[in-house]
Amino acid sequence: MLFARSFRLMTDRFHERLAGQDLEPLRPAHGFAFRYLAVQPSATAVDLAAHLGVSKQAATKTVAELVDWGYVHRSPHPTDRRAHALTLTGKGRAYLRLADALWAELEAEFAAVVGAGQLAVLRHALETYLADADPGGLRPVW
């Protein structure tokens, strides 16, 4: 439960900082979509729905928002004529860089509380635990 509580606190602080940026009304589902699309070239709305654990309609709505806001580009899928391939735009990749910078700030604050050495030990333990996990596997826990 400590991991869950810590992640929730850091996530809340992340979203507080994100709200201070001049961005569209991004929600956590958008962030999970960004992370998935960054590692899944030519993903479709159906792929994204499966990853997020939502209906195709919900994923399609999320994609439409991200396309309208300029974060995602939709193009004909290279192998499935019925689908669209989804890719992050430059704006979408810039958002990921911003998100990574905000997470780095939060990690630095965590290190200031527990100490850099303790954080290094924790980081190594978590990297070991996640060694065989899917790198694009960050998904919501609805």
Side-chain angles (χ1 to χ4, degrees):
M1 292 306 297
L2 289 175
F3 281 121
R5 289 178 57 208
S6 298
F7 178 71
R8 179 59 196 228
L9 178 60
M10 290 181 83
T11 300
D12 289 347
R13 289 178 178 173
F14 170 84
H15 284 284
E16 288 168 7
R17 290 173 192 205
L18 192 60
Q21 305 292 316
D22 186 26
L23 299 172
E24 293 74 14
L26 296 168
R27 299 182 311 277
H30 294 121
F32 289 108
F34 281 114
R35 294 287 174 193
Y36 180 72
L37 295 175
V39 298
Q40 295 296 327
S42 299
T44 65
V46 170
D47 298 329
L48 184 60
H51 176 75
L52 295 176
V54 299
S55 68
K56 180 185 174 208
Q57 292 79 9
T60 299
K61 180 182 179 210
T62 297
V63 168
E65 290 172 331
L66 294 175
V67 168
D68 288 347
W69 294 331
Y71 291 105
V72 170
H73 177 72
R74 218 179 350 215
S75 61
H77 195 278
T79 60
D80 184 349
R81 292 179 32 212
R82 300 167 297 151
H84 289 96
L86 306 173
T87 55
L88 291 176
T89 63
K91 184 178 179 180
R93 289 187 299 280
Y95 168 81
L96 281 177
R97 287 189 298 276
L98 170 65
D100 288 345
L102 293 176
W103 280 111
E105 287 177 12
L106 291 164
E107 187 175 300
E109 290 170 10
F110 184 83
V113 171
V114 302
Q118 290 289 85
L119 178 59
V121 170
L122 178 59
R123 175 187 292 280
H124 177 72
L126 293 172
E127 288 171 348
T128 300
Y129 183 73
L130 294 170
D132 295 329
D134 173 12
L138 185 61
R139 61 182 79 229
V141 186
W142 313 118

